[in-house]
Amino acid sequence: MPREPEFIHDLNDEQQRAVRHTNGPLLIVAGAGSGKTRVLTYRIAYLIQQQKASPNEILALTFTNKAAKEMKERIKQLIGDEARRLWMGTFHSVFSKILRFEAEKIGFTSNYSIYDTDDSKNAIKQLLRENNYDPKEIRPRTIQRLISDAKNELIHPDHYQEKFVHSTLDDITAKIYGQYVERLKHNNAMDFDDLLIKPIELFQKHEEVLEKYQDRFKYILIDEYQDTNHAQYKVTNMLASKYQNLCVVGDDAQSIYSFRGADIRNILDFKNDYEDAVEIPLEQNYRSTKAILKAADSIIKRNKSQLDKTLWTDNDMGDTITMLDNYDERDEANRVANYIKELKARKGYDYNDFAVLYRTNYQSRVYEETFRRKGVPYQLVGGLSFYQRKEIKDILAYLTLLINPDDDTNLVRIINEPSRGIGNKSLHDLMAQARAKNQSLWRILENVEAIDLYKPAENSVKKFVSMINELKRDMENGKRLVDITKKLLEKSGYMKALVEENSPKSMSRRENILELENAISYFEKNNTNPSLSSFLQEISLITDTDKYDEDKPAVTMMTVHAAKGLEFPAVFVVGLEEELFPVGSRDNEEVNIEEERRLFYVAITRAEEVLFFSHCRSRYKYGEEQRKRRSRFLDEVSPDVVRTETGASIKQNKKKLGQSNQTNHNSSGTTIEYDWKKPLYQKNNRSSNNTQIHYDNPDEDPFQVGAKVEHNIFGPGKIISRSGQGERTKVVIYFTERKQRKTLMLRVAKLRVVG
């Protein structure tokens, strides 16, 4: 056996144990900032150096392209160019590659399209219309989410009705789900979920294919295992079942993606799934100060569902965490901007050393306005993606047709974009023919003379088909992709239409298209065998985090979800208020609060040196100013390491902030109990002619913004704003079943608080 490489001594004792364990299942519980990426890369390099496996026998799965690229670069530094032969990438990119090789075995061609969320939504919208449902009433995005959930739980359309049909919406979803699956296959297309579940279908139907890839991948490593869903869990278990050399790395304390199907039980139950598994905790944190780490530890220890570990660090104690108590969100943004400028001057930070983290994307608007006004450069991660812009989606739809003309969704998108005289009626007639003959729309267009179509539209269809076929021949003859794209823009008239419009918006769209040409040119220069299919696959799998530029001299603004895996010298966690962070804190589901607490833990552990917590006393919502109470998490964090701006200790509410059918919270964050059997308001005894709402303590008024109520006529709802005082108090309620708002006088509304 070869001698151990020198690089093994770069690791601490626990990291070395993880790298040297080369036989059998391994669970590495890697706390925040504990060097998990280093352990993964060194482990892969060690397997190759010790001749346990060749590079192409190792499969490494990540959740972002950025992580995969970083790991591959590090491995290359350790072992050289052999790193290029590794199978390494995101779940979606790796399995889409496998499916390109094997697609015909499950009824697709190797040039299948990959539908992003927008493409899927459009396909579902079309199906709703074909089934005589109004997409304005039955939202395609809602149906899409339900179908996605079912797919990731491996629930077939035939079984959906048995498991989930409890309402009209479920019934519609069951109907559309089956049709959607058929439509995708008809279009030779897969959505993101299919890239995970189709390999399972492939392996179940073709055992010889499964065995081929089991023998190919003798070692499998999975990063961020706590973020895997049921489909990811299933497909990797199938691949690992022969050799059992499955190494998973993750941190249950950073499991924050249950909303998209991630199942924390995958990591919590790993040792039950693999009885011989070895568990190695990585507890030394190299990122944060002792003060930041103590704050994080005090928060996460309150969760019940977790693996046992305690992070520690040799770093300095560092500055205490500063808590900002703001009047409203504008005050908050102004003060954050001022602190950024002050810290930049005092500590010598650059702008890209700062991050502003928030719970939801809409919070970024006031920061964008404030930073622009104060001259603070920023980059926004998680906004509208370049590849989601209309003009880019249009050109990509054209390019998709060159390799997959049977893709009806993309064909419908651009058949009359820009306008070429193929109107809605003509398109409806063409699609009706396609459905009647069970053919793709493209096959109907190729034989348009065979149907009775408006003559000018027929001529336009012929020109369109001729243009696409000419571009396909150029591609087959080896013409450069960037030249094909330029010809497409000219022949289609797309660029000409933007120039003739001559508006600021059209000029901006033209610049975006020119940038797309640059992207295609760069792709061709940096790939050995560039193809249109591989380019479209690569850009379809780009994530928000992949677009983050850590070297850009600008403050980074992003949600906490988007920040996972990143680190910054100075971090501001803003909007720490009940019903914002944690979201939906009125729901008494401990598992939801535990995930929100894990999210707060992730936010804290992004910080290396300086950390700010910030909350507002009021915030605008639904066009109304609403009183806010600070997040319960600020009452859970260790008070030893948090100070106000003046340096004073923060005052914490020691009562448990919970919610049940008999509690309500006032603005100060304390818990108020009241008896449902007693009247919630009473008449003022001083005047029998003047009825007023009266409480011994105004803070005990349960009808605050956010309260869930019930009305005898309108049913259940939620108070979204409140105005006036005494007998003139009004509340605006959004009634969930009726999907409408009502403004009611509180003294006569006869409302009942329900939770």
Side-chain angles (χ1 to χ4, degrees):
M1 181 177 291
R3 291 179 58 187
E4 279 200 332
E6 285 297 318
F7 62 68
I8 196 75
H9 302 296
D10 296 340
L11 307 173
N12 66 34
D13 290 345
E14 293 306 300
Q15 290 173 334
Q16 288 186 30
R17 278 186 62 209
V19 168
R20 289 191 175 110
H21 181 87
T22 58
N23 293 309
L26 174 65
L27 168 62
I28 303 174
V29 184
S34 62
K36 71 175 179 63
T37 302
R38 170 175 279 203
V39 170
L40 271 175
T41 54
Y42 276 50
R43 178 178 165 81
I44 292 170
Y46 187 84
L47 288 170
I48 296 170
Q49 190 273 339
Q50 291 289 294
Q51 298 178 4
K52 295 289 184 180
S54 62
N56 61 0
E57 292 177 324
I58 298 174
L59 171 63
L61 297 167
T62 68
F63 274 84
T64 67
N65 295 305
K66 182 175 181 291
K69 184 178 179 181
E70 179 184 347
M71 286 171 57
K72 188 168 282 190
E73 284 298 318
R74 290 193 189 186
I75 297 169
K76 185 177 179 181
Q77 291 172 10
L78 295 172
I79 64 170
D81 288 340
E82 280 190 291
R84 291 185 295 104
R85 298 168 54 211
L86 289 165
W87 277 67
M88 178 178 288
T90 64
F91 276 88
H92 291 91
S93 65
V94 166
F95 286 108
S96 67
K97 184 178 178 180
I98 290 174
L99 287 170
R100 295 285 177 198
F101 294 136
E102 313 291 349
E104 292 184 2
K105 293 182 175 65
I106 53 173
F108 293 81
T109 74
S110 60
N111 286 328
Y112 64 83
S113 302
I114 298 176
Y115 279 9
D116 63 16
T117 303
D118 190 50
D119 298 326
S120 299
K121 186 184 73 173
N122 288 338
I124 290 170
K125 182 187 289 186
Q126 181 60 38
L127 287 169
L128 286 169
R129 286 175 175 152
E130 290 175 17
N131 285 274
N132 298 316
Y133 296 118
D134 185 351
K136 292 181 180 178
E137 293 184 3
I138 308 297
R139 297 182 62 193
R141 190 173 298 279
T142 301
I143 303 294
Q144 179 189 43
R145 177 180 56 79
L146 293 171
I147 291 175
S148 177
D149 290 346
K151 281 189 172 188
N152 284 310
E153 287 297 319
L154 304 181
I155 297 169
H156 192 271
D158 294 343
H159 302 138
Y160 186 91
Q161 196 146 11
E162 301 170 12
K163 292 180 177 290
F164 290 108
V165 175
H166 307 298
S167 67
T168 301
L169 180 62
D170 289 333
D171 194 46
I172 295 171
T173 302
K175 184 176 183 180
I176 297 299
Y177 184 10
Q179 295 178 9
Y180 174 67
V181 169
E182 289 300 316
R183 183 63 51 87
L184 285 178
K185 193 164 187 178
H186 182 81
N187 290 358
N188 190 34
M190 298 186 196
D191 62 20
F192 283 161
D193 298 319
D194 288 330
L195 299 181
L196 300 177
I197 66 173
K198 291 299 181 184
I200 297 173
E201 177 186 333
L202 171 70
F203 295 154
Q204 287 175 335
K205 290 182 176 178
H206 300 276
E207 291 185 9
E208 76 284 0
V209 177
L210 172 59
E211 189 171 352
K212 178 175 78 172
Y213 287 101
Q214 286 175 335
D215 288 330
R216 164 68 67 85
F217 304 128
K218 291 184 170 60
Y219 286 87
I220 300 173
L221 301 92
I222 306 176
D223 191 15
E224 305 285 8
Y225 192 64
Q226 76 280 350
D227 293 335
T228 53
N229 61 28
H230 184 60
Q232 290 162 328
Y233 167 85
K234 175 76 173 178
V235 72
T236 51
N237 278 8
M238 293 175 78
L239 286 173
S241 62
K242 185 170 184 177
Y243 292 102
Q244 300 277 303
N245 289 323
L246 176 62
C247 169
V248 302
V249 183
D251 182 6
D252 55 294
Q254 297 186 67
S255 178
I256 58 174
Y257 291 113
S258 67
F259 68 92
R260 68 183 190 195
D263 192 343
I264 192 174
R265 292 174 300 178
N266 292 347
I267 190 168
L268 295 179
D269 295 342
F270 183 80
K271 292 179 72 176
N272 294 331
D273 294 333
Y274 296 89
E275 294 181 359
D276 297 330
V278 172
E279 178 179 339
I280 300 176
L282 303 182
E283 298 176 309
Q284 182 175 1
N285 177 283
Y286 294 93
R287 176 187 301 158
S288 305
T289 64
K290 285 185 172 71
I292 291 170
L293 213 57
K294 185 172 183 179
D297 194 59
S298 65
I299 284 292
I300 204 61
K301 289 297 188 187
R302 292 175 176 264
N303 272 8
K304 297 173 183 176
S305 300
Q306 59 179 297
L307 298 171
D308 185 42
K309 64 183 176 300
T310 299
L311 291 185
W312 60 276
T313 185
D314 283 334
N315 294 340
D316 295 335
M317 176 57 71
D319 297 339
T320 54
I321 299 161
T322 303
M323 187 168 78
L324 305 182
D325 183 354
N326 310 285
Y327 174 71
D328 62 14
E329 63 265 46
R330 287 163 184 78
D331 181 34
E332 181 182 56
N334 272 308
R335 297 170 80 193
V336 168
N338 291 339
Y339 269 109
I340 288 173
K341 289 192 167 186
E342 188 265 330
L343 284 167
K344 186 174 183 293
R346 179 163 58 87
K347 287 184 172 281
Y349 288 145
D350 294 322
Y351 279 121
N352 59 341
D353 290 328
F354 296 94
V356 178
L357 307 182
Y358 35 77
R359 181 62 180 82
T360 55
N361 273 311
Y362 77 81
Q363 291 172 258
S364 70
R365 181 187 60 82
V366 68
Y367 282 91
E368 292 184 76
E369 294 173 357
T370 302
F371 285 4
R372 282 197 297 266
R373 189 175 67 251
K374 288 183 171 286
V376 176
Y378 66 89
Q379 63 170 325
L380 189 64
V381 178
L384 181 64
S385 163
F386 175 80
Y387 290 105
Q388 293 299 313
R389 298 178 188 277
K390 178 189 180 303
E391 61 276 14
I392 303 302
K393 291 278 290 181
D394 286 346
I395 304 309
L396 294 177
Y398 273 107
L399 293 173
T400 298
L401 290 184
L402 303 185
I403 58 172
N404 183 18
D406 292 331
D407 186 342
D408 286 0
T409 299
N410 277 304
L411 177 52
V412 168
R413 181 185 183 97
I414 48 83
I415 192 172
N416 201 42
E417 186 67 52
S419 177
R420 53 175 58 91
I422 306 173
N424 288 336
K425 185 181 183 307
S426 296
L427 181 57
H428 180 271
D429 292 343
L430 290 165
M431 292 179 68
Q433 284 289 324
R435 299 290 173 259
K437 295 182 178 181
N438 194 29
Q439 294 181 347
S440 70
L441 181 58
W442 175 256
R443 304 305 169 198
I444 299 299
L445 299 185
E446 286 184 309
N447 299 285
V448 68
E449 303 95 339
I451 64 174
D452 183 18
L453 194 67
Y454 180 55
K455 201 65 179 177
E458 180 183 322
N459 292 332
S460 294
V461 166
K462 289 179 179 178
K463 291 179 181 178
F464 176 79
V465 170
S466 176
M467 175 188 68
I468 297 297
N469 284 332
E470 182 180 343
L471 293 168
K472 285 170 67 177
R473 286 193 296 271
D474 288 343
M475 183 181 65
E476 291 163 0
N477 291 331
K479 195 169 184 178
R480 292 172 62 222
L481 297 182
V482 68
D483 292 333
I484 292 173
T485 305
K486 288 178 179 178
K487 185 174 181 179
L488 161 64
L489 291 167
E490 178 190 350
K491 288 278 188 180
S492 66
Y494 200 98
M495 195 66 90
K496 180 182 177 183
L498 292 177
V499 172
E500 289 178 348
E501 184 180 329
N502 195 29
S503 67
K505 189 173 183 179
S506 68
M507 291 301 101
S508 175
R509 287 180 168 176
R510 180 174 176 274
E511 290 171 1
N512 287 336
I513 291 173
L514 294 175
E515 182 60 29
L516 175 64
E517 290 183 13
N518 293 336
I520 294 172
S521 180
Y522 180 84
F523 174 82
E524 287 192 291
K525 289 179 181 178
N526 288 273
N527 284 273
T528 308
N529 296 304
S531 68
L532 180 56
S533 177
S534 58
F535 172 74
L536 292 173
Q537 174 175 311
E538 180 174 296
I539 63 173
S540 70
L541 300 174
I542 289 175
T543 65
D544 288 338
T545 307
D546 294 325
K547 299 188 289 293
Y548 162 63
D549 182 359
E550 61 185 15
D551 296 322
K552 185 175 182 179
V555 176
T556 300
M557 296 196 301
M558 58 172 62
T559 64
V560 182
H561 282 101
K564 192 161 79 70
L566 303 177
E567 56 190 42
F568 304 87
V571 170
F572 294 81
V573 186
V574 302
L576 283 165
E577 299 130 31
E578 287 293 304
E579 298 193 345
L580 181 56
F581 200 169
V583 164
S585 60
R586 287 182 179 272
D587 295 332
N588 188 29
E589 293 185 37
E590 190 63 23
V591 65
N592 290 340
I593 293 302
E594 290 214 351
E595 176 147 334
E596 290 291 309
R597 192 176 284 115
R598 292 193 294 268
L599 191 60
F600 186 42
Y601 171 85
V602 167
I604 293 172
T605 53
R606 299 312 93 197
E608 297 174 344
E609 301 169 1
V610 177
L611 179 60
F612 283 76
F613 296 152
S614 181
H615 71 95
C616 298
R617 298 194 177 200
S618 67
R619 187 177 292 272
Y620 273 85
K621 193 172 183 181
Y622 303 114
E624 298 279 347
E625 187 175 12
Q626 299 180 3
R627 284 192 306 168
K628 306 297 290 185
R629 59 182 183 274
R630 76 185 196 189
S631 171
R632 68 184 68 188
F633 297 150
L634 295 176
D635 293 320
E636 295 179 352
V637 70
S638 173
D640 299 344
V641 292
V642 184
R643 295 290 183 270
T644 67
E645 292 174 88
T646 63
S649 299
I650 63 170
K651 294 181 180 179
Q652 291 181 315
N653 168 41
K654 298 303 181 184
K655 295 181 180 179
K656 183 179 180 182
L657 184 59
Q659 181 80 16
S660 70
N661 286 343
Q662 293 179 312
T663 63
N664 194 55
H665 306 306
N666 70 358
S667 59
S668 66
T670 57
T671 300
I672 300 165
E673 297 188 358
Y674 47 87
D675 190 339
W676 292 117
K677 297 178 182 178
K678 294 181 181 179
L680 295 176
Y681 64 87
Q682 58 189 20
K683 292 184 179 180
N684 188 326
N685 294 329
R686 296 179 184 177
S687 171
S688 59
N689 296 323
N690 187 14
T691 303
Q692 295 183 343
I693 299 173
H694 174 76
Y695 296 92
D696 293 333
N697 180 350
D699 281 339
E700 293 182 3
D701 177 356
F703 298 107
Q704 298 295 332
V705 171
K708 294 179 181 177
V709 297
E710 188 162 14
H711 189 274
N712 289 339
I713 296 176
F714 303 122
K718 183 176 182 178
I719 298 176
I720 60 176
S721 68
R722 172 176 167 146
S723 60
Q725 295 180 343
E727 67 177 356
R728 295 183 178 276
T729 302
K730 295 180 181 179
V731 288
V732 178
I733 303 172
Y734 179 76
F735 290 101
T736 52
E737 290 183 353
R738 292 178 173 241
K739 294 183 172 56
Q740 60 183 202
R741 297 182 187 180
K742 293 284 185 182
T743 302
L744 304 174
M745 295 294 291
L746 190 53
R747 67 183 176 87
V748 297
K750 296 182 180 179
L751 296 172
R752 185 170 68 89
V753 178
V754 294

